[in-house]
Every structure is written in structure tokens, then in C-alpha cells.
Amino acid sequence: MRSTLSRIAAVVTAGALTLTLAACGGSGSSGTSGTSGTSAAGQTLRVGTLSDAPPSIYLENGRFTGYDNELLRDIAKREGFEVEFVGTEFSSLLAGVAGGKFDIGSSTISSTEARKKTVAFSNGYNTGFTTVVTAKGANLKEVGALGGKRLGVVQGSVQDEFAGKVAGAQVVRFPDYNAGFAQLKNGTLDGWVVPQDIGQKYLDQNPGVPLELGYTVEDKDTPSAFAVARKNTDLLNKLNDGLAKAVADGTVARIYAQFYKNTPLSKELRQGGPGLPVKNLGA
């Protein structure tokens, strides 16, 4: 995987690799990008992302990577702009995109109707499931078993919305994924509600930890997509154009296979289409 990532990394300038980072998952950005609503061609665009959610978005050896970010690097190369990744918290990401702090949000962002009121979304590049990671033997396999339980979520995520609808559940919000996994291991949470790929990746990387996947539900009709300011139609069109080209020549499938070893890619992303369609609200 490292050799492939090195080839893709060529689209990022030396300046783009000079990252100002705080602690894992914390904000490392300041100022504004000043490019929202203008042509992206030839520019270096600021991308808000997370550092602790493999295989989708994470920091490795000082470099932001993962399926989402490597795909975005490829799209940027095709469309003639460069990207600088900046770590932030998910709860402030979309507001940062809408307000011009970031040009693009790249963080497995589910394209929900509520979020479309704040930002616009590219066509989708992934689908997924929400799952509840629990202690082994906790038997939280049905949604009804979650009532009265202490459930951890990343603040502002789709999983936050899901947990908030579980009758009787006590929802505990965290700024990043590492914090929630730590609390689950310590026994202060009954369940940690995360995207399934992130939960499974954690279990694969920590085989000795007595945790398992519990209740799991499909995230329907809200594919993961890149977020941009609603007025920035030029950049939105470039993202969609680059994604369509990456689907057509098999690049999406290749990058996906690097990070998702046992999860099949959606057929819409394998058969030469434009990606998973997302209908944005009017600007």
C-alpha cells in the first residue's frame, strides 16, 4: 500500500505537507482559505479532515491518508488543483466549510438532508453502516436492547443522530474516535456508535481487546460525499467530474481495495457511472 500511496502523494506540494497539527483529532487550522466561490484551477485548497478514523480518514507518519483523502488527491490531480489537509474536529467541520475556513470537507460525511442546508455535497463515493461496538457478551444485538444504555458518539455525526433517537439511551458525545474507544475499553460506556468500517478496523488492529460489533444498521440514501460551500458550484462541478473519471478508469475501485480488504464496493462505483448521486438543496 505504501508504494501506491507514494505515487498518489505526488499531487501534494511540499507546502501541503507542512501540516499544523494539534493533538489527535484537534483543530490545526487558523485563518480562512479565501477561495470559496472561485475557480479551483491552479490553487491549493484547504481540506478539513480527521486524524483518527481508519480506513477512511487518518494520520499516518505525519501524513493524512485513508480512502477518502487518497481519492480526493486523485481528483485534485485530474482537475488541476492541489490540496492541503488540516486536522479538525467533526463537530466544527461543516461550519468551517460553510464559512470558508475550509474549501472541502473530507471525512466520510453522510449527505443528509439536514446537512444540505449548510453545505453542498459532491456525488457519493462510498456507502456504509452504523454499528455499536460493545464489550464481548453484552448482547446488544437489537436496537431495543440499547434503551437505557450509555452510548458514546462523535459529536455532530450521523451516529449522534441515531443514538439520539434510541428511547431511554444516555448519549455521551466526544470530539473524536480515539476518545470514545478509550472510554469503551475503560467500561464507562455500554456502546460506542461508529461507522461499521471504523469499528471493524479497530477490532482488527486490537485483537486482544474484548470488544465486538453489536447492533448494525445500513445508512440508506445518504452516501459519503465531499462537502463544499453551497455557493461554490465551480468546485462542486470539478469534484463531480474528477470522481466520474476516477470511477470510469477503475481508480476508485483500486484505491478502495487498498483500504477495504473485505468489504465490497458499491456497484455504482464499479460500473463506470458518475458516483452515487446526491441531490443538493437549492443555493
Side-chain angles (χ1 to χ4, degrees):
M1 182 178 75
R2 290 183 182 276
S3 62
T4 304
L5 294 182
S6 297
R7 290 196 298 272
I8 299 174
V11 304
V12 184
T13 63
L17 292 175
T18 305
L19 303 173
T20 306
L21 299 175
C24 188
S27 176
S29 60
S30 60
T32 60
S33 63
T35 59
S36 293
T38 64
S39 174
Q43 297 184 9
T44 297
L45 303 186
R46 290 168 63 83
V47 181
T49 189
L50 272 66
S51 60
D52 63 344
S56 305
I57 54 264
Y58 61 100
L59 193 64
E60 182 176 65
N61 298 324
R63 181 177 184 275
F64 286 101
T65 185
Y67 170 62
D68 299 42
N69 290 339
E70 297 304 340
L71 176 58
L72 182 55
R73 283 189 172 103
D74 180 85
I75 292 171
K77 183 177 181 180
R78 294 173 189 270
E79 298 299 316
F81 62 90
E82 296 178 347
V83 286
E84 175 188 6
F85 291 94
V86 180
T88 188
E89 293 180 357
F90 189 84
S91 60
S92 61
L93 175 56
L94 295 186
V97 172
K101 184 177 183 179
F102 306 118
D103 298 287
I104 304 171
S106 174
S107 185
T108 313
I109 308 169
S110 296
S111 50
T112 67
E113 293 301 311
R115 289 172 178 172
K116 291 174 187 176
K117 297 177 182 178
T118 301
V119 297
F121 287 102
S122 69
N123 286 330
Y125 55 80
N126 202 4
T127 58
F129 294 78
T130 286
T131 193
V132 183
V133 185
T134 71
K136 284 188 176 180
N139 198 31
L140 299 183
K141 302 292 187 180
E142 303 292 336
V143 67
L146 302 177
K149 302 299 183 181
R150 187 175 168 88
L151 303 179
V153 298
V154 169
Q155 184 175 356
S157 65
V158 168
Q159 290 71 38
D160 190 348
E161 296 177 20
F162 164 81
K165 296 176 183 177
V166 176
Q170 180 183 354
V171 182
V172 185
R173 295 174 173 86
F174 296 90
D176 56 56
Y177 289 96
N178 284 337
F181 277 117
Q183 292 298 312
L184 181 64
K185 287 167 56 180
N186 291 339
T188 55
L189 293 175
D190 297 304
W192 177 224
V193 190
V194 297
Q196 184 184 40
D197 58 300
I198 293 174
Q200 186 60 59
K201 185 72 171 182
Y202 183 86
L203 297 183
D204 293 343
Q205 293 179 335
N206 300 273
V209 177
L211 301 175
E212 64 182 5
L213 300 186
Y215 176 72
T216 301
V217 61
E218 184 177 4
D219 300 326
K220 297 180 179 179
D221 303 321
T222 55
S224 298
F226 299 115
V228 302
R230 293 180 65 195
K231 65 182 179 181
N232 200 343
T233 55
D234 177 78
L235 179 55
L236 183 64
N237 291 337
K238 287 182 179 296
L239 291 175
N240 284 336
D241 181 68
L243 175 59
K245 292 173 180 175
V247 172
D249 68 9
T251 299
V252 166
R254 176 178 57 79
I255 297 176
Y256 186 89
Q258 290 179 306
F259 294 96
Y260 297 88
K261 304 299 184 183
N262 302 308
T263 304
L265 180 65
S266 172
K267 66 179 182 180
E268 291 86 352
L269 298 171
R270 290 185 278 111
Q271 296 179 346
L276 299 163
V278 171
K279 184 177 180 181
N280 288 291
L281 300 177

